[in-house]
Amino acid sequence: MFSKKRTNESTDSYLTKLTAIKEKIGQADAVVIGAGAGLSTAAGFTYSGERFDRYFSDFAANYHFSDMYSGGFYHYDTLEEYWAYWSRYIYVNRYMDAPTDLYDRLLALVKDKDYFVLTTNVDHCFQKAGFDKSRLFYTQGDYGLFQCSKPCHRGTYDNEETVKKMVVSQGYCIEEGELTVPEGTQIRCTVPTELVPRCPRCGRPMSMNLRADNTFVQDAGWDAAAKRYEKFMEDHRGQNVVFLELGVGYNTPGIIKYNFWKYAYNWRNAFYVCINKGDAYVPKEIENKTVGVDADLAEVIEKTSSLT
Ligand SMILES: [Zn+2]
């Protein structure tokens, strides 16, 4: 349905675009944020390099992988090793604060508007930054929830306490949210068997509540968030709505990107903003009501929010 057009950075000045974004948000009846992996990467949640080395160098040496994604796909021999890896992963990516204040700046940009957030991210950064929980729809799950791995029922379970216990059992201390290694402690890549989380109904191992395959549990919280999103869109049908797409790639474009294009196309007063480094495509059919910014997200949000 839509053709693609690469934004022309040479004819539209960067600052003009940011000013337009700020103005459009200011005038909007509502703002719908669509956030993908690029937003959390821009906030400092990187899955390789320094962050990986700091928390997973022992796993890297033992199992020969060099980033957190690969570690997530590794087939560990035992559940005890599997959960040693995943508890650390969940702790640093879900329970620790984002390394930068990007999400706080984003909140400042929309907090006085009627807003809603649709995201494929599962790291809960929006909630941690203070976005209104009733205005968030995490479509792909949450690192902070366990579910039965079969699943034998549609329940999900808050995992904060269990994850912290598993991390501490490997030798870490948790100090002001950070993981520290007490002097002389050898960190272990395993957890005690009794800490391996199991389904309270059938006793099978738990798994993360992530849409990785067809075992994903859409619990009552998921359904309620989906309904709130639907109602928000219904309530604002045809209004002056800004669709603010941040760091969304082409892994699951049907959830945010293609929907935003359709709304921008069908709603006369809608406006579409796409901010993504290296991939800020703008469909020709909506180019007169779109701003595409091919630049670093953190810088764009910082500059835009500080414009007067
Ligand atoms: Zn079960």
Side-chain angles (χ1 to χ4, degrees), residues 52 55-68 70-86 88 170 187-191:
F52 174 77
Y55 302 111
F56 297 97
S57 58
D58 51 350
F59 273 95
N62 293 344
Y63 304 92
H64 310 293
F65 50 75
S66 56
D67 64 85
M68 290 190 224
S70 311
F73 288 109
Y74 189 88
H75 288 278
Y76 299 94
D77 288 340
T78 66
L79 280 172
E80 288 80 0
E81 291 160 279
Y82 175 88
W83 282 108
Y85 181 79
W86 275 104
R88 265 191 237 176
Q170 295 168 59
I187 297 294
R188 294 172 290 277
C189 296
T190 181
V191 300

Side-chain angles (χ1 to χ4, degrees), residues 148 152-153 199 201-204:
C148 174
C152 73
H153 67 293
C199 173
R201 298 219 185 153
C202 72
R204 286 187 183 85

